Amino acid sequence: MRHSILLNTDQMNCYNAHGNEIPCFGSGQDAENRPAPEAPAVRFLFKDGVVIDKLTGLNWSRSASPATFPMSWREAFKYVRELNFSGYLGINAWRLPTRRELYSLISHRFINPSLHEAHPFTDVFPGYYWTASPCSRLANQAWYIHLGGGRVYRGIKDNSYMVWPVAGPLPNQTNPSDRFAIYKNTVLDRLTDRRWLIYAAETNKAVTWEEAITIINTLNAKTAAGYDDWRLPNIRELESLVDLSLHSPALARKFFPRSVAEGYWSATTSAYETRYAWVLYPKDGAIGVGFKHLPEFCVWAVRDVN
């Protein structure tokens, strides 16, 4: 997968804490910091029931619900094996997508379903879909994604969710020691070309969403760690730090402290309910939302590596 492109969301508008649309200039929000499009002008191609995602190189069943019914996590793996046995759509290498693979399809601009504009998929159920990724902390649970709004959470493996098969090579695993490097009070992520602020007094407390944006302005005014272009990360940037093989926190422990906060605000507003913003919960790596008015989550500042 092309990680730098996948870090961009498709969010186009900015909203205040009351959920009202506001001008993006000076807002410090996701849509203001959105870079020029790097993705292919036509992202999806489809033929004979198979959709090719030119951004990730993955092949998806055009029907997002080939089974038409939900099933348990173990049944989902069995179902995919049956697809391969029958040569479904001329492919015998189908598998259950990893969490990050299914998340790569998620839109932060559209809901019901939360898929990108002009997607070619059919039979999309705006509910829960299994991923192949187990929960590291809880052996009886695995990760699912809600295709109605984009929430990423864990569920009991005996629960019944939908299945969307994918084909294509699994991504290479990057050694954290090769990926991350500590420099003074920051961590450089070589995979995504992002630099993260490890600690600042202002970021070590739970605040409201608008206070989080104000804290970023304070960090820039004082040139925290020698930089004045910190920003509140979008939700895809926060998610990129998650290591699902770990828990408590689900982060590379050598480079990020264990005493992390319960959750971190993103600059991305929830398209499902604009009074809420997306939040990373680092204990397991869940992605949910927080009510913008409540002082419940902390700030984790990021900047682009120039």
Side-chain angles (χ1 to χ4, degrees):
M1 288 190 181
R2 299 164 68 185
H3 289 273
S4 62
I5 297 177
L6 287 172
L7 292 179
N8 303 340
T9 77
D10 59 344
Q11 194 150 98
M12 301 292 291
N13 301 314
C14 297
Y15 305 87
N16 62 21
H18 299 287
N20 301 319
E21 188 173 339
I22 61 171
C24 280
F25 181 77
S27 68
Q29 296 183 32
D30 185 351
E32 180 190 17
N33 293 313
R34 187 171 184 263
E38 300 176 69
V42 178
R43 176 174 175 179
F44 300 107
L45 302 176
F46 66 91
K47 181 181 180 181
D48 300 329
V50 177
V51 173
I52 301 171
D53 185 348
K54 295 171 64 178
L55 186 60
T56 64
L58 295 172
N59 294 342
W60 297 88
S61 164
R62 189 181 184 195
S63 171
S65 305
T68 72
F69 57 87
M71 59 189 74
S72 73
W73 197 61
R74 292 174 181 83
E75 290 169 339
F77 283 96
K78 179 182 178 182
Y79 174 72
V80 171
R81 289 195 298 270
E82 292 171 350
L83 290 181
N84 290 327
F85 182 78
S86 66
Y88 176 64
L89 299 177
I91 294 175
N92 59 6
W94 294 108
R95 54 185 175 80
L96 205 59
T98 67
R99 190 183 103 158
R100 190 152 288 159
E101 288 173 331
L102 187 55
Y103 191 59
S104 73
L105 296 179
I106 292 296
S107 166
H108 293 93
R109 181 181 172 194
F110 300 101
I111 61 171
N112 294 323
S114 55
L115 295 176
H116 285 265
E117 188 175 22
H119 73 83
F121 300 109
T122 63
D123 311 317
V124 182
F125 174 65
Y128 303 132
Y129 277 80
W130 280 121
T131 79
S133 304
C135 176
S136 178
R137 185 172 63 90
L138 302 167
N140 67 335
Q141 298 189 26
W143 291 98
Y144 65 79
I145 297 181
H146 187 263
L147 265 290
R151 181 174 181 255
V152 182
Y153 207 67
R154 47 184 168 72
I156 302 294
K157 292 177 179 177
D158 289 334
N159 289 348
S160 293
Y161 302 142
M162 300 298 286
V163 175
W164 192 351
V166 70
L170 285 163
N172 295 326
Q173 298 298 315
T174 304
N175 188 313
S177 295
D178 296 329
R179 176 177 175 180
F180 299 111
I182 296 176
Y183 178 73
K184 294 183 178 179
N185 195 28
T186 70
V187 172
L188 170 65
D189 185 346
R190 299 186 183 98
L191 183 64
T192 63
D193 290 329
R194 299 294 191 271
R195 187 179 295 278
W196 296 85
L197 186 64
I198 296 178
Y199 176 81
E202 294 88 348
T203 64
N204 196 33
K205 59 181 179 180
V207 296
T208 68
W209 189 65
E210 290 187 328
E211 288 172 341
I213 294 173
T214 299
I215 285 173
I216 295 295
N217 295 333
T218 300
L219 295 176
N220 287 328
K222 62 186 286 190
T223 60
Y227 300 102
D228 62 358
D229 56 354
W230 296 106
R231 56 184 174 79
L232 199 62
N234 70 44
I235 191 57
R236 302 193 80 89
E237 290 173 314
L238 282 170
E239 194 279 336
S240 74
L241 295 177
V242 173
D243 185 336
L244 291 179
S245 69
L246 304 173
H247 67 83
S248 309
L251 303 168
R253 298 189 184 104
K254 179 179 178 180
F255 301 96
F256 301 106
R258 288 184 59 88
S259 56
V260 297
E262 177 185 351
Y264 290 95
W265 287 114
S266 80
T268 310
T269 290
S270 167
Y272 210 90
E273 167 51 87
T274 54
R275 294 177 300 165
Y276 289 74
W278 287 102
V279 173
L280 171 69
Y281 296 86
K283 184 174 185 178
D284 290 318
I287 300 171
V289 295
F291 188 51
K292 292 177 178 178
H293 284 287
L294 295 181
E296 293 185 323
F297 306 110
C298 293
V299 174
W300 198 347
V302 71
R303 63 179 297 271
D304 299 288
V305 176
N306 300 323

